[in-house]
Amino acid sequence: MNKQTICDVDVNGKRVLVRVDFNVPMSGGMVTDDTRIRAALPTIQYLLDHNAKVILMSHLGRPKGVDDKLRLAPIAARLSALLGQPVKTANDCVGDAVVRTVSGLKPQEVLLLENLRFHKEEEKNDPAFAQQLAQLGDVYVNDAFGTAHRAHASTEGVTHYLPAVSGLLMEKELNFLGKAISHPEHPFIAILGGAKVSDKIGVIKHFMAQADHVLIGGGMANTFAKAYGYEVGDSLVENDKLDVAKELIVQSNGKLVFPTDAVVADKFDNDAQSQVVEIFQVQPGWRILDIGPKSVELFKMYLNDAKTIAWNGPLGVFEFPRFAQGTIAIARALADSHATTIIGGGESVAAVEQAGVAERMTHISTGGGASLEFLEGKTLPGVAALLDKSA
């Protein structure tokens, strides 16, 4: 993914329109987790250091029209504190008033436009709306990897009207995730969890071709267990995917590694009765909620020698502390590893944060769905639209 970045273009005195991903958790009108805002700081700071006028645009939540609870003013306040300088705000992201505000912007000033999704035209990738956004800038920068799998006006549409390059966060994502799928250092181990096989079929197939082994956990391991003919009790299973699971088992030639034991519970509740059983000893009425201690040791055996590890999806119902032990143990094993460790967005990020080892990972992706699609080998519209580096 050899895309031009902000370092390849002249931004001195220019209006630089930057798509960021400030879709952050909020509560009571306050930002409760500023990880995504902090992730964009290197790009914003680079532009300020190079005398640019910085115009930021983002979405927040899924509003149906204008929603005062989803305005970006609290995010501007948090960004201002992190940057150590004022961040101006606009009460819309297009229109005459916004054009006037932008025209008054001086080099080394920052303006955050209002929530893009207050306009339905954003998600429809409406050309007229994209053109209105584009007229606010001289250069377009996409630093929002988390939305790069969507062809929206602010991620793909604007690139038809402005020279388009990647930000530093986007570049980092493409470098780490791109290397993980195209040139990993071996042994390369992929860990895939999460609830459903159907969400990960493409990723499993892709990793079966690239990785030395693929460790499978989470709810989707239950579907594979049932495909093997094991009793899985009341566990989450995709019965319509049993044939796909059987096919993948055959095609994998032993590359897929499954849990050998499980923590089972008599109901879906943190306070349920629980016990550890062999994977083939799950009784009717019980449900698998975590990988067991033998499975943790088995997975660690594969991780010990790994040079590259990519992880996407928790290995149990980790939102219940009682059933987060397997996920946390594997997160700690990654932290202790000498491998390049890549956490592929989504709930895996929450898992390594919960385990207190986030800082010890080589790269934590900011994209959930985008990471998954990229790891699957799909082309992301928001990335494809950026200018290529000349050979």
Side-chain angles (χ1 to χ4, degrees):
M1 285 289 168
N2 228 359
K3 295 293 180 180
Q4 288 189 33
T5 75
I6 48 176
C7 305
D8 297 312
V9 290
D10 177 18
V11 298
N12 184 14
K14 301 267 179 73
R15 299 172 303 156
V16 182
L17 184 66
V18 189
R19 178 55 157 105
V20 287
D21 183 5
F22 287 169
N23 185 29
V24 296
M26 306 273 292
S27 179
M30 300 286 284
V31 175
T32 54
D33 181 351
D34 65 3
T35 305
R36 285 182 170 176
I37 302 173
R38 283 185 285 110
L41 291 177
T43 292
I44 297 168
Q45 196 60 58
Y46 175 94
L47 294 170
L48 293 173
D49 291 346
H50 288 78
N51 206 41
K53 303 170 184 179
V54 182
I55 301 132
L56 305 173
M57 53 181 178
S58 179
H59 74 284
L60 176 64
R62 296 183 173 179
K64 300 277 182 272
V66 176
D67 181 341
D68 286 339
K69 290 194 209 67
L70 294 174
R71 290 195 176 275
L72 301 192
I75 292 170
R78 185 74 196 115
L79 177 60
S80 176
L82 290 167
L83 280 175
Q85 74 173 69
V87 173
K88 299 183 176 193
T89 55
N91 62 1
D92 204 342
C93 55
V94 291
D96 293 341
V98 177
V99 170
R100 283 195 298 275
T101 303
V102 169
S103 67
L105 210 58
K106 297 182 178 69
Q108 300 182 341
E109 288 188 335
V110 182
L111 169 69
L112 177 61
L113 303 178
E114 191 49 277
N115 195 335
L116 290 160
R117 289 194 187 166
F118 285 175
H119 296 264
K120 62 183 185 300
E121 293 85 354
E122 156 67 357
E123 291 182 89
K124 290 182 174 171
N125 197 4
D126 179 80
F129 181 69
Q131 206 164 0
Q132 280 186 285
L133 291 172
Q135 75 176 29
L136 302 174
D138 304 306
V139 178
Y140 168 75
V141 174
N142 193 340
D143 211 30
F145 180 73
T147 62
H149 60 314
R150 305 275 183 242
H152 290 169
S154 67
T155 59
E156 197 275 341
V158 290
T159 67
H160 297 281
Y161 309 103
L162 288 174
V165 299
S166 96
L168 301 177
L169 174 63
M170 176 74 84
E171 180 188 34
K172 190 177 168 201
E173 294 276 15
L174 298 179
N175 284 346
F176 275 103
L177 295 180
K179 186 171 180 245
I181 45 179
S182 53
H183 306 293
E185 200 179 343
H186 291 271
F188 172 31
I189 305 298
I191 310 167
L192 294 174
K196 296 179 175 177
V197 176
S198 52
D199 293 341
K200 306 266 168 94
I201 293 167
V203 184
I204 294 170
K205 285 183 174 173
H206 210 78
F207 277 142
M208 280 187 344
Q210 300 287 344
D212 296 278
H213 286 96
V214 183
L215 316 182
I216 303 282
M220 68 175 178
N222 308 339
T223 300
F224 283 102
K226 189 163 181 179
Y228 265 115
Y230 299 150
E231 167 67 55
V232 292
D234 289 352
S235 306
L236 173 72
V237 167
E238 287 182 281
N239 288 307
D240 61 336
K241 290 290 177 280
L242 292 174
D243 288 344
V244 174
K246 285 174 190 168
E247 268 174 47
L248 289 169
I249 291 166
V250 172
Q251 288 167 9
S252 83
N253 290 326
K255 273 194 179 184
L256 294 181
V257 179
F258 300 103
T260 54
D261 64 344
V263 182
V264 296
D266 61 354
K267 58 183 176 181
F268 189 77
D269 192 310
N270 187 54
D271 300 322
Q273 287 190 54
S274 65
Q275 56 181 320
V276 176
V277 298
E278 300 293 324
I279 202 70
F280 50 80
Q281 289 180 331
V282 179
Q283 297 299 310
W286 290 75
R287 61 191 67 206
I288 299 169
L289 294 188
D290 196 6
I291 60 172
K294 285 183 186 170
S295 303
V296 168
E297 292 310 311
L298 173 69
F299 284 12
K300 279 185 181 174
M301 190 182 78
Y302 285 98
L303 299 173
N304 283 342
D305 302 324
K307 291 280 199 305
T308 310
I309 304 167
W311 183 10
N312 185 283
L315 304 177
V317 184
F318 84 112
E319 53 269 41
F320 293 156
R322 286 266 306 282
F323 305 104
Q325 299 314 305
T327 298
I328 286 172
I330 295 304
R332 288 182 178 149
L334 262 68
D336 293 337
S337 163
H338 297 296
T340 297
T341 49
I342 299 159
I343 309 303
E347 289 183 309
S348 327
V349 179
V352 294
E353 285 175 352
Q354 199 170 309
V357 294
E359 325 72 57
R360 294 167 66 191
M361 301 299 151
T362 313
H363 178 67
I364 296 180
S365 178
T366 53
S371 307
L372 207 54
E373 291 195 18
F374 195 69
L375 291 171
E376 200 175 320
K378 288 185 176 173
T379 299
L380 307 185
V383 175
L386 303 176
L387 294 169
D388 292 313
K389 282 187 192 279
S390 50

